[in-house]
């Protein structure tokens, strides 16, 4: 399949096989994502690859605690919008998948003298790099889930990231389980989303 065909077939998996693969594939994908356009070329991102089962377990444990509180506080409308995805407070995929990539966004950086320096359009830049990373992973036939626990500060604590880095999202990477029933969703038509002037 071409990359375009692979991207059109990409789906989010919430159940993964435990079989692993060479970590170099993830490094290759991140290396492609680092060429993403970004504000003033500050490259305001760090990609943490987690393969250690103990760290994955800790991330799962703390995520499930957060999810309990999350589902209690979200609006009825939000809950309704999530219903068709069959998601709940349990996140076994965080341990099933061989790798997690936790993307961190830089809020500021430091120059070579240790003085604080600014970053520009960090949100947009990290979003674009994450999109390119997902495309690269898709090209390498790696299935993913973008997972966004909220709040997510616990990820900085577990991974001991510095204060200038804020967790952005988790990309769960592996082989999607054949027994996972993909939600029956549709995508908007080109006419709905493309306006030519
Ligand atoms: C920013 C973002 C956050 C998401 N957060 C979650 C999440 O926390 N849990 C989850 O199961 N799926 C999450 N998803 C996956 C979406 O639910 C999924 O992409 C959407 O339903 C479309 O399905 P598809 O990816 O299979 O096309 C997230 C996706 C994005 C882009």
């Amino acid at each position: 399949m071409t990359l375009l065909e692979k991207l059109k077939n990409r789906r989010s998996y919430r159940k993964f096989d435990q079989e692993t693969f060479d970590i170099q594939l993830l490094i290759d994908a991140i290396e492609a994502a680092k060429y993403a356009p970004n504000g003033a070329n500050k490259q305001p991102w760090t990609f943490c690859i987690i393969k250690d089962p103990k760290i994955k377990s800790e991330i799962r444990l703390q995520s499930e605690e957060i999810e309990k509180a999350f589902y209690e506080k979200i609006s009825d409308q939000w809950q309704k919008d999530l219903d068709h995805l069959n998601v709940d407070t349990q996140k076994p995929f965080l341990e099933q998948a061989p790798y997690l990539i936790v993307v961190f966004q830089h809020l500021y950086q430091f120059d070579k003298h240790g003085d604080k320096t600014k970053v520009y359009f960090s949100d947009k830049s990290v979003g674009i790099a994450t999109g390119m990373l997902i495309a690269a992973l898709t090209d390498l036939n790696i299935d993913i889930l973008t997972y966004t626990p909220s709040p997510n500060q616990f990820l900085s604590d577990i991974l001991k990231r510095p204060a200038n880095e804020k967790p952005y999202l988790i990309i769960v990477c592996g082989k999607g389980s054949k027994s996972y029933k993909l939600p029956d969703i549709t995508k908007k038509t080109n006419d709905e989303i493309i306006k030519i002037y």
Side-chain angles (χ1 to χ4, degrees), residues 20 40 64 67 92 120 140 146 148 172 181 186:
T20 191
E64 290 182 346
E67 294 290 345
Y120 307 97
L140 294 169
T146 39
T148 46
V172 183
K181 196 175 169 308
T186 54

Side-chain angles (χ1 to χ4, degrees), residues 61-97:
L61 193 83
Q62 296 207 34
S63 295
E64 290 182 346
E65 280 305 310
I66 276 165
E67 294 290 345
K68 279 185 216 152
F70 176 80
Y71 279 97
E72 273 164 27
K73 77 169 186 232
I74 60 171
S75 63
D76 291 347
Q77 183 59 52
W78 196 340
Q79 180 63 63
K80 219 168 130 236
D81 285 336
L82 288 175
D83 276 350
H84 72 289
L85 297 176
N86 281 328
V87 288
D88 59 26
T89 57
Q90 297 304 298
K91 306 295 167 190
F93 51 75
L94 292 170
E95 286 187 285
Q96 291 160 352

Side-chain angles (χ1 to χ4, degrees), residues 9 16 21-23 40 46 54 91 97 102 106 129 142 180 192:
N9 280 290
F16 287 82
F21 54 85
D22 192 342
I23 196 170
T46 305
K54 282 204 260 9
K91 306 295 167 190
V102 186
H106 296 187
I142 295 168
Y180 177 65
E192 284 176 287

